Amino acid sequence: MISRSKIIYDDNNNRIFNIQTFDFNNPEQVDTIRFEYKYANNRIIYQLCKLSENDSIVIKMIKNQGDSLLIYQKQAFYYRPKTKKTDIYETVCTLKYKDGLLISREEFDKDQNSTEIKKYEYFENGRLKRRLIERIPKLEEVLYVGGAGSDDEFYEYKFDSEGRIKVFYRIINGEKFKIAKYSYE
């Protein structure tokens, strides 16, 4: 599917509108996803993602232990016109931080009774060094589409003389893939 979107941000650099201006499969249709936020102490405690008139996703903070542990509840509401019922899917997301860096993101899907844990390691400069995904229960096979990807990835960067990223690599099973090359004006 080929599509184009325009994203509008608020003063806190959070998306407030995602306007899909072109979709190859529906060229006459323009979709707008609206986001609303509530904050406490400069932290998002509530987010509403309005997908359509009847479909939405609500994320609420349910626990905050300072700067080290945040727990959010995510509920997705999808209206089914044929049955005139709304399906609700619930996920609990636990974010763990150390020294201001996200070190793990654990998502528990209540409907599937499954957990996905993403663990992060960083270089001393704060750049991401490794991302490891664990799934409970383990999946028989994981398929990544659209380029090099793995549940266990390492990252490497080359920098220009001003410390900006020049080349970004992803390393999977010892094989290095160039993901992006940057130039600055």
Side-chain angles (χ1 to χ4, degrees):
M1 176 173 88
I2 299 173
S3 64
R4 277 184 239 126
S5 294
K6 179 178 182 176
I7 300 173
I8 300 171
Y9 298 90
D10 66 9
D11 293 338
N12 296 314
N13 207 27
N14 293 309
R15 291 181 296 177
I16 54 173
F17 289 103
N18 185 354
I19 304 166
Q20 185 171 329
T21 58
F22 177 77
D23 179 340
F24 183 79
N25 296 322
N26 301 298
E28 303 301 316
Q29 184 175 336
V30 174
D31 285 331
T32 301
I33 299 172
R34 183 174 49 90
F35 298 85
E36 295 176 14
Y37 305 92
K38 291 182 184 172
Y39 298 87
N41 300 323
N42 294 323
R43 191 175 301 280
I44 296 172
I45 60 169
Y46 175 88
Q47 175 186 324
L48 169 67
C49 174
K50 192 77 170 156
L51 302 168
S52 68
E53 186 177 331
N54 297 309
D55 299 337
S56 62
I57 299 171
V58 174
I59 301 172
K60 299 177 196 173
M61 180 185 288
I62 56 176
K63 189 171 188 177
N64 179 352
Q65 288 185 345
D67 294 329
S68 61
L69 179 71
L70 302 172
I71 300 176
Y72 290 90
Q73 176 189 48
K74 175 180 169 184
Q75 291 180 308
F77 302 89
Y78 298 106
Y79 180 70
R80 306 296 179 214
K82 288 183 181 180
T83 61
K84 294 186 173 30
K85 292 184 180 180
T86 300
D87 292 335
I88 303 171
Y89 302 96
E90 189 174 328
T91 306
V92 175
C93 182
T94 302
L95 306 174
K96 294 180 184 174
Y97 292 87
K98 183 176 180 182
D99 301 325
L101 296 173
L102 180 64
I103 58 170
S104 75
R105 176 187 176 105
E106 181 176 318
E107 287 195 29
F108 174 69
D109 184 322
K110 288 188 174 185
D111 297 311
Q112 300 293 320
N113 193 26
S114 64
T115 302
E116 179 179 276
I117 304 167
K118 292 181 182 175
K119 295 180 181 179
Y120 303 96
E121 296 175 14
Y122 298 89
F123 290 104
E124 295 210 7
N125 64 5
R127 296 258 182 226
L128 186 61
K129 179 180 183 178
R130 181 183 186 193
R131 184 208 66 201
L132 176 66
I133 300 174
E134 298 174 18
R135 292 182 175 86
I136 304 166
K138 280 191 167 200
L139 297 177
E140 290 181 26
E141 183 178 344
V142 177
L143 177 66
Y144 282 82
V145 178
S150 170
D151 283 358
D152 191 4
E153 299 181 348
F154 290 85
Y155 305 96
E156 187 177 301
Y157 309 88
K158 288 191 179 177
F159 300 96
D160 67 10
S161 60
E162 295 180 39
R164 300 175 296 193
I165 297 175
K166 188 172 158 184
V167 185
F168 169 56
Y169 298 96
R170 188 175 288 155
I171 303 164
I172 300 164
N173 295 329
E175 190 172 349
K176 187 187 289 189
F177 299 90
K178 185 191 304 185
I179 302 300
K181 185 175 180 178
Y182 299 91
S183 62
Y184 302 91
E185 295 181 10

